Amino acid sequence: MNFPKSPFLFKINKHPSPLSDKKREEILKNPGFGQFFTDHMVIIKWTEDKGWYDAIISQYKPLEISPASVILHYAQGIFEGLKAYRAKDGRILLFRPEANAQRFVESAKRLAMPELPKDIFLDAVKQLVKIDQKWVSDHPNASLYLRPFMFGNDNLLKVHPSREYIFCIIASPAESYFTGQKTTISVWLETDYSRAGPGGTGTAKCGGNYAASLIAQNNATQNNCSQVLFLDMVEHKWIEELGGMNICFIMANNILVTPALNGTILAGITRHSILKLAQQMGLTIEERPYSFEELKEDVKSSHLKEVFACGTAAVITAIGRIKYKDGECIIANETCGEITEKLRTQLIDIQKGNIEDKNGWVHSVRLS
């Protein structure tokens, strides 16, 4: 697929002293997730008078903002997450970046922010990947994680939509999201705190959602769990999503159940892709409410066979144990199920260009 042409000509200010090949290769041997950053970043500004202007790619460096900036006081900020992959033939591939561009628009609408045109979003991603292409590793589990974000930068202590915004993209080499991960992870079912409620910002990818989840994530960590699993805010009955990813359940009769997008759950791009692949594999898809009581009964009767988390960072990660205040549920003897593994393998093979992309999801970045 080709990228749409952007109306902007990006000003390129190359880093005067980028990291040496030797140091970069050392980092790429074990980058972890979100610990290291590439040499460059994208910055585009917006004001009421000028609209979007001053598109620059420059060296990665601290931002200078006012102490009264809207983002610091009222959290008017959104972000996205997508990955670039190195194919065996040397190409660099992006997976469904147009979906990220569209979700960025929807998040901006919800937080009363200006909409960044999708062609500019995509061109900015392409430009950064192109200039930092040496950071896209060819290691089997490696990728370059791209973090577009935008925030209000008005320096006025009045509760209001900002009159100035900064859009940025930074990039970080990545491997496994869950460090030290074995075959499966354990998750903590949170009953005291909720992630989002009806009419709130649950469908927007904004920092406030994640900040609100951190105390619950602390509870998960204290119970030796990798992630927190939230119930709905109204009835505290229905499973919604994890702290940073969606969740799917595989039943004995080849049915994939996942909570419906009800206005409080983020519409994950990986989630959507998995549902499509699962349907193409012959599974029946049920997007519907699924209660924790129902889950416990399905585990007891062995009707529930596999559970996995899914998201850009985690890809597909099997869940083997769900802990809660009064007990725990163990799924499939804490082993990664056959369908989970098949879906994960197929998704990664598409992302890395190892198999045919029948759905038109993969974009190749022109590097010259």
Side-chain angles (χ1 to χ4, degrees):
M1 281 189 169
N2 294 320
F3 286 91
K5 187 175 181 180
S6 166
F8 278 163
L9 286 176
F10 281 81
K11 183 179 180 182
I12 310 293
N13 294 332
K14 285 194 173 183
H15 198 304
S17 54
L19 207 63
S20 69
D21 290 347
K22 182 179 179 180
K23 289 183 178 179
R24 186 179 59 253
E25 286 305 318
E26 282 298 313
I27 289 172
L28 293 179
K29 287 178 183 177
N30 185 26
F33 184 87
Q35 299 179 55
F36 304 97
F37 298 92
T38 65
D39 297 302
H40 297 89
M41 63 190 292
V42 173
I43 296 179
I44 309 176
K45 298 177 181 178
W46 184 95
T47 64
E48 289 180 331
D49 296 335
K50 296 181 180 179
W52 294 104
Y53 74 102
D54 205 11
I56 298 173
I57 296 178
S58 65
Q59 70 183 79
Y60 179 89
K61 60 184 178 181
L63 295 169
E64 186 172 312
I65 62 174
S66 165
S69 180
V70 168
I71 183 63
L72 299 177
H73 299 272
Y74 307 121
Q76 195 187 22
I78 59 173
F79 68 96
E80 270 300 322
L82 65 158
K83 289 179 176 178
Y85 305 86
R86 178 78 67 176
K88 290 179 180 178
D89 60 8
R91 290 178 302 149
I92 294 180
L93 306 175
L94 294 167
F95 183 72
R96 304 191 66 184
E98 75 291 343
N100 293 97
Q102 180 59 42
R103 191 169 64 183
F104 200 72
V105 167
E106 297 303 321
S107 294
K109 289 179 183 177
R110 179 60 184 84
L111 269 74
M113 304 171 78
E115 298 172 27
L116 179 71
K118 287 182 283 185
D119 55 353
I120 298 176
F121 180 103
L122 293 170
D123 194 22
V125 168
K126 178 193 73 173
Q127 296 283 356
L128 184 59
V129 170
K130 182 178 177 181
I131 198 169
D132 279 338
Q133 58 185 277
K134 290 182 179 180
W135 286 88
V136 187
S137 172
D138 59 0
H139 297 175
N141 297 317
S143 61
L144 182 65
Y145 182 81
L146 297 149
R147 171 56 62 88
F149 61 101
M150 178 169 64
F151 60 91
N153 195 39
D154 204 353
N155 58 345
L156 174 65
L157 293 182
K158 175 183 178 183
V159 179
H160 70 295
S162 181
R163 298 165 299 183
E164 298 180 7
Y165 294 87
I166 294 177
F167 169 77
C168 297
I169 308 179
I170 56 177
S172 175
E175 285 200 354
S176 176
Y177 182 79
F178 294 107
T179 56
Q181 177 186 335
K182 298 180 180 179
T183 306
T184 64
I185 62 169
S186 297
V187 302
W188 173 254
L189 181 81
E190 180 58 47
T191 53
D192 291 334
Y193 300 102
S194 300
R195 177 185 171 274
T201 57
T203 60
K205 200 164 178 67
C206 61
N209 292 342
Y210 296 82
S213 75
L214 295 180
I215 190 169
Q217 181 61 46
N218 283 346
N219 290 342
T221 302
Q222 289 167 10
N223 286 277
N224 297 314
C225 293
S226 299
Q227 268 281 308
V228 57
L229 176 61
F230 288 105
L231 299 175
D232 74 290
M233 183 179 283
V234 178
E235 297 182 76
H236 299 286
K237 172 181 179 180
W238 307 103
I239 292 171
E240 294 220 318
E241 64 176 292
L242 299 165
M245 52 208 75
N246 298 116
I247 190 167
C248 295
F249 307 90
I250 306 293
M251 304 301 176
N253 46 0
N254 277 351
I255 293 176
L256 187 155
V257 174
T258 192
L261 300 179
N262 57 5
T264 62
I265 297 174
L266 185 70
I269 294 164
T270 303
R271 173 191 180 275
H272 182 271
S273 306
I274 288 166
L275 297 186
K276 183 73 172 179
L277 292 177
Q279 188 178 47
Q280 291 170 350
M281 284 169 47
L283 274 70
T284 300
I285 309 301
E286 292 184 0
E287 296 183 67
R288 62 173 176 85
Y290 187 58
S291 71
F292 187 61
E293 289 302 316
E294 190 178 355
L295 180 146
K296 288 192 287 186
E297 288 299 319
D298 287 342
V299 170
K300 190 180 298 184
S301 68
S302 297
H303 180 58
L304 176 60
K305 294 298 185 183
E306 304 174 33
V307 183
F308 62 83
C310 57
T312 298
V315 192
I316 294 177
T317 301
I319 295 172
R321 188 182 296 256
I322 300 175
K323 297 182 180 182
Y324 53 100
K325 284 184 177 179
D326 300 321
E328 61 183 17
C329 296
I330 297 176
I331 297 100
N333 295 317
E334 295 187 276
T335 60
C336 183
E338 180 182 352
I339 294 174
T340 298
E341 184 58 37
K342 188 175 180 180
L343 283 168
R344 175 182 168 83
T345 299
Q346 187 174 2
L347 180 63
I348 292 174
D349 280 344
I350 291 171
Q351 290 170 334
K352 285 186 164 286
N354 296 334
I355 61 176
E356 182 185 358
D357 171 25
K358 297 180 180 179
N359 297 295
W361 288 338
V362 174
H363 294 247
S364 181
V365 179
R366 186 175 296 174
L367 300 178
S368 58

